[in-house]
Amino acid sequence: MEGLWLFSVALSAAGAIGFICIILVLRWVLYFRKGLAWDGGAAEFNWHPVLIVTGFIFLQGIAIIVYRLPWTWQCSKKMMKFIHAALNLVAFIFAVISMVAVFDFHNAANIPNMYSLHSWLVPTSAFYLSFNEQLVLGVGIYLIPATPVSWRAAFMPLHVYSGLLLFTSVIAVALMGITEKLIFALDNPKYKDSPPEAILVNALGVLLVLFGLTNKANATFNAINNRVNEEKHVFVFRNVV
Amino acid sequence: MEGLWLFSVALSAAGAIGFICIILVLRWVLYFRKGLAWDGGAAEFNWHPVLIVTGFIFLQGIAIIVYRLPWTWQCSKKMMKFIHAALNLVAFIFAVISMVAVFDFHNAANIPNMYSLHSWLVPTSAFYLSFNEQLVLGVGIYLIPATPVSWRAAFMPLHVYSGLLLFTSVIAVALMGITEKLIFALDNPKYKDSPPEAILVNALGVLLVLFGLTNKANATFNAINNRVNEEKHVFVFRNVV
């Protein structure tokens, strides 16, 4: 029960930090930038940070730990799988829309696409490959009933490793994006003069790191607990089949 | 033996990628920027990326996997500990000097210190805390003979987790630094026009990610192998005591 109490605290912390991140990114674009629109201008670009933070970071983070919540261990296995898959699918759709927003904004403003390291990391690193591997193989292996149980068990360590790697990568790449945007957008006063917008968005960056840390700890340490507690075999079986 | 062969390939890949990263960062500062000096100018700043890549990323990466190399399992345990500690100590010293270089450069050019998200993440995130925890508790628990063996065993999962977290964080923060520097330094042509320097340094960033991935895979997957192979108890004992 001690482990459960600690896990509940860490889970509440991750949830609270995640909500604050969403509030801060909305405050950033609605109060300091030009709000949200779909007109090829700066307000269209603003969908990019909003959708990445709410979808690709927050929803993906929830999807990662949804299996770890002890009070779901008695739920239908199929329902838990669909919740995990659905959250990841929504996160993926948000990410795609957020990228369309950037391309639209760049094209309308005659800014070249895909020149920065931030953008290079999307298609070239394991980041993108992981998501494809997670999405295509994850659905193929865990949602298609015909797939042999032995395949599901063999693929599980890679699925968990890749999922956590992707989650970490998304946060790292988001921090690069925040850095870029603050340098480009802040002009008078500049980023180096630390205006209120810079402080707010730096704080958002720090909180995204804390969300990643607490959420990953929930995923990792609870998995460690599971390995040593009495429910080990039930849990492993439920996660694989 | 299959595992060993795969590990050797991954290890060679990590080593080769690491060396290419060092060559690229030297090429960047010596050819595209104003070289290396200790004069408060741009050439002093250049020590920052050089020392972070060679020390805080490459040497720390080697320090992480030095215990995992199967051919060291027969070496003196004490010697392996000192190699691990010495590599991390050199990495830490390089990191400190690299930060002094930035403060010197900022102060000479009247640029404010610690305003960017890149700099905020150093003291506020688990990044810095991890290094202190690793350095102080790592030395206290593993290098002082009087520490009880049970403490060493209990602290090991946290030591490994924090070490890998720190290694990942350093690479993520380095990518933010690269992004900042390219935007600030490239003026005519600008970063968005993708001049040769931008391509070179973007490639450096991608290779740093690949170094992190291959090196972390060496640390993690070999650890998984160790858990299931016959040398499990010998290995665990050697790592703890």
Side-chain angles (χ1 to χ4, degrees), chain A residues 24-156:
Chain A
L24 290 189
V25 75
L26 287 171
R27 171 85 179 164
W28 182 21
V29 302
L30 298 177
Y31 181 79
F32 289 104
R33 295 285 128 204
K34 295 181 177 171
L36 294 164
W38 200 269
D39 56 2
E44 182 169 338
F45 173 88
N46 290 344
W47 281 109
H48 186 65
V50 168
L51 292 174
I52 293 292
V53 169
T54 55
F56 221 25
I57 296 178
F58 185 74
L59 291 183
Q60 193 194 162
I62 302 301
I64 283 172
I65 55 160
V66 84
Y67 278 112
R68 308 291 173 197
L69 310 176
W71 43 92
T72 67
W73 294 0
Q74 309 308 321
C75 293
S76 146
K77 176 72 191 167
K78 192 177 267 182
M79 190 185 79
M80 293 309 297
K81 273 188 188 183
F82 277 113
I83 292 174
H84 177 79
L87 284 168
N88 274 318
L89 183 66
V90 174
F92 179 68
I93 292 169
F94 275 28
V96 170
I97 298 172
S98 86
M99 279 184 233
V100 173
V102 174
F103 276 85
D104 266 8
F105 166 70
H106 277 188
N107 293 342
N110 277 325
I111 300 170
N113 289 305
M114 304 296 293
Y115 69 86
S116 73
L117 180 54
H118 168 74
S119 63
W120 277 35
L121 288 178
V122 178
T124 58
S125 81
F127 178 173
Y128 193 61
L129 291 170
S130 297
F131 207 88
N132 279 321
E133 176 263 310
Q134 293 298 92
L135 205 70
V136 176
L137 288 185
V139 168
I141 289 185
Y142 296 110
L143 289 185
I144 295 177
T147 313
V149 171
S150 61
W151 289 22
R152 298 177 180 198
F155 184 56
M156 182 54 73

Side-chain angles (χ1 to χ4, degrees), chain B residues 5-85:
Chain B
W5 183 84
L6 195 66
F7 179 67
S8 302
V9 171
L11 183 70
S12 308
I17 296 168
F19 274 117
I20 297 173
C21 287
I22 293 174
I23 291 169
L24 289 189
V25 75
L26 287 171
R27 171 83 178 165
W28 182 21
V29 303
L30 298 177
Y31 181 78
F32 288 105
R33 296 283 128 207
K34 292 179 179 172
L36 295 164
W38 200 268
D39 56 4
E44 181 168 338
F45 173 88
N46 290 344
W47 281 109
H48 186 66
V50 168
L51 291 175
I52 292 291
V53 170
T54 56
F56 220 26
I57 295 177
F58 185 74
L59 291 183
Q60 193 194 162
I62 302 301
I64 283 172
I65 55 160
V66 83
Y67 278 111
R68 307 291 173 197
L69 310 176
W71 44 91
T72 68
W73 295 0
Q74 308 308 321
C75 292
S76 146
K77 176 73 191 165
K78 190 177 269 183
M79 190 185 79
M80 293 310 297
K81 274 188 186 183
F82 277 113
I83 292 174
H84 179 79

Side-chain angles (χ1 to χ4, degrees), chain A residues 112 115-117 120-121 124 126 165 172 175-176 178-180 183-184 191-192 194 202-203 205-206 209 213 216-217, chain B residues 112 115-117 120-121 124 126 161 165 172 175-176 178-180 183-184 191-192 194 202-203 205-206 209 213 216:
Chain A
Y115 69 86
S116 73
L117 180 54
W120 277 35
L121 288 178
T124 58
L165 177 64
L175 298 177
M176 298 167 69
I178 284 174
T179 300
E180 270 188 20
I183 298 176
F184 288 136
Y191 190 19
K192 67 177 181 181
S194 296
N202 280 358
V206 172
V209 172
L213 288 177
K216 199 172 167 184
Chain B
Y115 68 86
S116 73
L117 180 55
W120 277 35
L121 288 178
T124 59
Y161 185 86
L165 178 65
L175 298 178
M176 297 167 69
I178 284 175
T179 299
E180 270 189 18
I183 298 175
F184 288 135
Y191 190 19
K192 68 177 181 181
S194 296
N202 280 359
V206 172
V209 172
L213 288 178
K216 199 172 167 184

Side-chain angles (χ1 to χ4, degrees), chain B residues 211-233:
Chain B
F211 177 71
L213 288 178
T214 49
N215 204 54
K216 199 172 167 184
N218 286 332
T220 316
F221 292 136
N222 198 44
I224 290 169
N225 289 338
N226 290 333
R227 248 182 257 147
V228 294
N229 74 16
E230 287 174 1
E231 299 185 78
K232 177 185 170 185
H233 299 293

